[in-house]
Amino acid sequence: MGKDQLVIDAGQKHFGTTVCKSCGMIYTASNPEDEIQHLQHHHRFLEGIKFVGWKRERVVAEFWDGKIVLVLPRDPSYAIKKVEDVQELVDLELGFQQTVPVCPDKTKTFLFIDEKRVVGCLIAEPIKQAFRVLSEPSASKECSRAWRCSDVPEPAICGISRIWVFRLKRRKRIARRLVDTVRNCFMFGCFLSTNEIAFSDPTPDGKLFATKYCNTPNFLVYNFHN
Ligand code: ACO
Ligand code: ZN
């Protein structure tokens, strides 16, 4: 560790709170249990997002700070394995109760690669309908999630089952570029509008992003549990 560490703010609730500059985990360096947990997460996480490059990569977008690689269900097992590893880390972080995509053979996974790491991931799947998030004058406290949606289905084409960006790489437009790329690549020959894409049961971060990206709080959602 050592150089990897950065004390954010000594005034925080737990003195000595540290964020690891490599894996992004926030922990208390003075707490042995926390340190053990960190080391376990650290190795697993860095191994999971490591990307050495593949002989045949389907690069669908390139930027000055990275590229987006598309992985399809019939790709070689090393590519599928990487997607599974990343998805596992994402689900762990999101605490998803494993909502398996409806048609796994139709999912398209987009990985944002920077240097030698996967720093962003978007899993897209075909959908037929979605529901519009309702604007709320005052958020209801009884509701377990931060949004309510209409019960009137609307036709939609592409579902974003998961979207995730490595904690230390957020707010650099990586998610935005992933969604732009999905809209461009999901259906051959057409660029999907924001009314044709929907977000699966968005988290608070996901809601903030989708509201900004779709330019409306009434973006489309699907696959939520009541
Ligand atoms: N708070 C407020 N606004 C936000 C946030 C946020 N946390 N995240 C994004 N935005 C808005 C901003 O307006 C931002 O533009 P700006 O930085 O110029 O102000 C705009 O969205 C675009 O943001 P990006 O930089 O493209 O988003 P980022 O790469 O940081 O990724 C994401 C956003 C994927 C939600 C990230 O925060 C993340 O991985 N969070 C944890 C995982 C998660 O909750 N994912 C969503 C699950 S829902 C689902 O998967 C369908
Ligand atoms: Zn670490």
Side-chain angles (χ1 to χ4, degrees), residues 94 162-163 165 171 173 175-176 200 203 205 208 212:
L94 291 183
R162 298 278 195 288
I163 182 161
V165 171
R171 302 304 285 271
R173 307 189 150 238
R176 181 179 279 281
S200 169
T203 57
D205 271 354
L208 289 163
K212 184 73 183 190

Side-chain angles (χ1 to χ4, degrees), residues 23-38:
C23 75
M25 183 169 159
I26 300 159
Y27 67 103
T28 311
S30 56
N31 178 332
E33 260 173 55
D34 253 31
E35 279 194 79
I36 290 168
Q37 253 195 358
H38 167 235

